[in-house]
Amino acid sequence: MHQPLLGIHHVTALAGDAQRNIDFYVRVLGLRFVKRSINQDAPDVYHLYYGDEIGSPGTAMTFFPFGRASRGRKGNGEIGRVAFGVPTASMGFWAEHLAKHGVPFDGPSDRFGEPVISFPDPDGMLVELVFNDRQRMKHPWRSGPVPAEHAVRGFHGVTMYVAQLGPTADALTGHLGFTKEGESGSRHRFVIGAEADRAAVDVIADASLPPAGPSAGSVHHIAWRVADDAAHRAWLGHVHQSGFHSSDIVDRFYFRSIYFREPGGVLYEIATDVPGFTVDEPLESLGSTLVLPPWYEPHRARIERALPPLTVPV
Ligand code: ZN
């Protein structure tokens, strides 16, 4: 029997310039840069990881920065918005902080009773801040540019765009354990996870939108959490029984992964909480050097030459 999914593990997106990406996610969103690694399927591209102090599951936003990539086209079959939770008392702080960094935002507008503001990241990916007091900070990054009392608590959820609601909703509620929580206009909300870790997946179905053209500023996939390898193996069986074509279990070194596409075209992953980002670096120096999975170590010199230099803002 499979355990319920625990919420969001991480969200991975495509970006353009690596330095611009790190400047935005550290200085503006106030996330800690927790891992400087490589795209395991394209080792001449970085894999940059951001999160709370330890990159806890549920806080990990990651990017493949492709350098001079063109911008993606928004449309169906993708996650079009990534929402982070922040405390309700922090609205004044964020308005001032975003203005200070020259980031204009839309809102606040009300969504299912919570105020939301939205703004694009440097590659046009739409980022949202959802003001709520349900989410808790597990491992605040105390030396970050955003004071811990105002800091991002983790993912609040994502908005998916698909041509048809039915098949995507059936996959969420019929096979993945999500509960439908409500709807508002064309937005249908599904939730997973216990109170503080609860994540919302909003589905907007609009058959008139073009298919998404993924490139810089596009979300590549979303990963759901399971605790450990035993739960992960049970999920592999469940995914197959549910009729999804999936990858086998892939070792991503910081977690294990299973990938499959939901019926609307969005790539899903199921990832383990273990072993986490401190498996190959001490907590204090996370992100400070390029770390490679052991099977890439013999190629380190060649890999390093192909990657642009990167300065971590402090
Ligand atoms: Zn992933």
Side-chain angles (χ1 to χ4, degrees), residues 100-170:
K100 192 173 85 187
H101 288 276
V103 179
F105 58 89
D106 289 337
S109 58
D110 177 89
R111 188 184 297 163
F112 298 109
E114 293 171 332
V116 181
I117 63 172
S118 64
F119 46 92
D121 86 354
D123 292 300
M125 189 185 100
L126 291 173
V127 173
E128 298 178 326
L129 297 182
V130 182
F131 296 88
N132 75 91
D133 293 321
R134 172 183 56 80
Q135 294 179 270
R136 304 257 182 280
M137 192 67 161
K138 287 180 202 151
H139 298 279
W141 180 30
R142 301 207 180 275
S143 46
V146 170
E149 62 186 298
H150 301 304
V152 163
R153 268 45 184 153
F155 292 112
H156 181 280
V158 295
T159 302
M160 283 171 53
Y161 292 82
V162 296
Q164 294 179 4
L165 176 67
T168 289
D170 286 349

Side-chain angles (χ1 to χ4, degrees), residues 51-311:
D52 65 7
E53 187 187 36
I54 64 168
S56 303
T59 71
M61 181 75 220
T62 94
F63 290 91
F64 299 130
F66 281 88
R68 292 177 181 277
S70 61
R71 274 199 181 186
R73 181 185 67 220
K74 298 193 186 306
N76 283 332
E78 71 172 1
I79 287 167
R81 292 169 176 268
V82 180
F84 298 89
V86 288
T88 51
S90 300
M91 198 177 289
F93 168 84
W94 280 101
E96 202 173 300
H97 180 74
L98 292 170
K100 192 173 85 187
H101 288 276
V103 179
F105 58 89
D106 289 337
S109 58
D110 177 89
R111 188 184 297 163
F112 298 109
E114 293 171 332
V116 181
I117 63 172
S118 64
F119 46 92
D121 86 354
D123 292 300
M125 189 185 100
L126 291 173
V127 173
E128 298 178 326
L129 297 182
V130 182
F131 296 88
N132 75 91
D133 293 321
R134 172 183 56 80
Q135 294 179 270
R136 304 257 182 280
M137 192 67 161
K138 287 180 202 151
H139 298 279
W141 180 30
R142 301 207 180 275
S143 46
V146 170
E149 62 186 298
H150 301 304
V152 163
R153 268 45 184 153
F155 292 112
H156 181 280
V158 295
T159 302
M160 283 171 53
Y161 292 82
V162 296
Q164 294 179 4
L165 176 67
T168 289
D170 286 349
L172 288 169
T173 59
H175 298 293
L176 299 176
F178 283 71
T179 304
K180 174 123 192 218
E181 196 180 62
E183 54 187 88
S184 170
S186 59
R187 181 178 290 273
H188 298 257
R189 173 157 291 184
F190 301 85
V191 295
I192 190 87
E195 182 65 10
D197 292 330
R198 196 178 71 208
V201 173
D202 289 357
V203 179
I204 294 179
D206 180 354
S208 71
L209 292 179
S215 192
S218 303
V219 174
H220 187 262
H221 64 266
I222 185 165
W224 314 113
R225 285 177 61 195
V226 297
D228 55 28
D229 290 302
H232 202 229
R233 281 190 294 274
W235 266 95
L236 181 64
H238 178 66
V239 164
H240 289 169
Q241 276 166 21
S242 302
F244 298 112
H245 297 283
S246 85
S247 71
D248 206 343
I249 290 174
V250 182
D251 185 1
R252 292 307 191 193
F253 198 58
Y254 307 111
F255 43 84
R256 258 73 66 184
S257 300
I258 300 165
Y259 300 90
F260 58 100
R261 224 169 262 285
E262 61 84 42
V266 176
L267 185 59
Y268 285 172
E269 174 182 347
I270 296 176
T272 56
D273 282 2
V274 289
F277 295 113
T278 50
V279 69
D280 60 354
E281 281 181 297
L283 180 61
E284 311 76 58
S285 58
L286 283 177
S288 59
T289 55
L290 179 72
V291 288
L292 301 175
W295 53 93
Y296 273 116
E297 268 305 335
H299 311 291
R300 173 176 282 274
R302 182 167 53 77
I303 289 169
E304 283 185 339
R305 274 197 305 277
L307 293 168
L310 206 53
T311 306

Side-chain angles (χ1 to χ4, degrees), residues 3-63:
Q3 309 276 325
L5 298 173
L6 303 173
I8 295 173
H9 186 285
H10 64 270
V11 175
T12 295
L14 310 178
D17 185 71
Q19 188 64 50
R20 199 173 58 173
N21 184 260
I22 195 171
D23 287 343
F24 182 84
Y25 282 91
V26 175
R27 284 187 207 276
V28 180
L29 270 198
L31 303 181
R32 185 180 183 195
F33 181 55
V34 292
K35 193 64 68 181
R36 179 191 314 216
S37 193
I38 51 165
N39 181 335
Q40 294 184 15
D41 303 316
D44 56 339
V45 174
Y46 278 121
H47 195 178
L48 307 179
Y49 296 75
Y50 308 92
D52 65 7
E53 187 187 36
I54 64 168
S56 303
T59 71
M61 181 75 220
T62 94
F63 290 91

